Amino acid sequence: MTTFGLVVIEGNQLSLAPSASGILLQDAGYDFLNTVTIGDNVFNQGSRSIGLNLVRGKTITVNTNTFAGNGSSTTGISFGAKIGSAYVLPQNMQNITTKYAGVSSKVTFPVKL
């Protein structure tokens, strides 16, 4: 089986349609993506969209990103119940209805938000 030791998703600009996810991370067995770093991305979000939908992953670092809501019921970052660990730096969120959803004890915010 192929695994990736480090995946970096950086420097992208995404325009999200209503009810879409910008980046969906879902590693079903914690064995495909060992470490993922996401940062310096721009998410222009439509209604009911989720910028980062982190359903399941082993080790995730979320560096600073920009989220701009252009509709109702937007979510910046959603964490699934099966996150191994996530380290989240402060984000730039403008007009986002729910900044963080599904935060558990496995999600660390090193800087007070």
Side-chain angles (χ1 to χ4, degrees):
M1 173 179 209
T2 301
T3 61
F4 295 94
L6 174 61
V7 174
V8 177
I9 303 170
E10 185 175 278
N12 300 288
Q13 183 168 350
L14 300 102
S15 293
L16 308 183
S19 301
S21 289
I23 295 174
L24 171 64
L25 182 65
Q26 186 169 349
D27 182 4
Y30 296 118
D31 52 9
F32 183 68
L33 300 169
N34 292 336
T35 304
V36 177
T37 300
I38 302 168
D40 298 320
N41 299 291
V42 177
F43 300 89
N44 296 306
Q45 299 184 227
S47 298
R48 301 173 314 281
S49 65
I50 302 172
L52 289 177
N53 194 356
L54 308 176
V55 177
R56 185 172 182 157
K58 187 172 182 181
T59 305
I60 303 165
T61 300
V62 183
N63 293 326
T64 302
N65 296 281
T66 298
F67 301 83
N70 297 307
S72 61
S73 302
T74 53
T75 301
I77 303 174
S78 179
F79 301 95
K82 304 280 185 163
I83 292 293
S85 68
Y87 182 85
V88 183
L89 293 175
Q91 306 296 308
N92 179 10
M93 298 212 190
Q94 304 161 3
N95 300 321
I96 298 295
T97 309
T98 304
K99 294 180 181 179
Y100 304 99
V103 175
S104 72
S105 61
K106 295 180 179 181
V107 178
T108 302
F109 295 93
V111 178
K112 186 175 178 177
L113 304 176

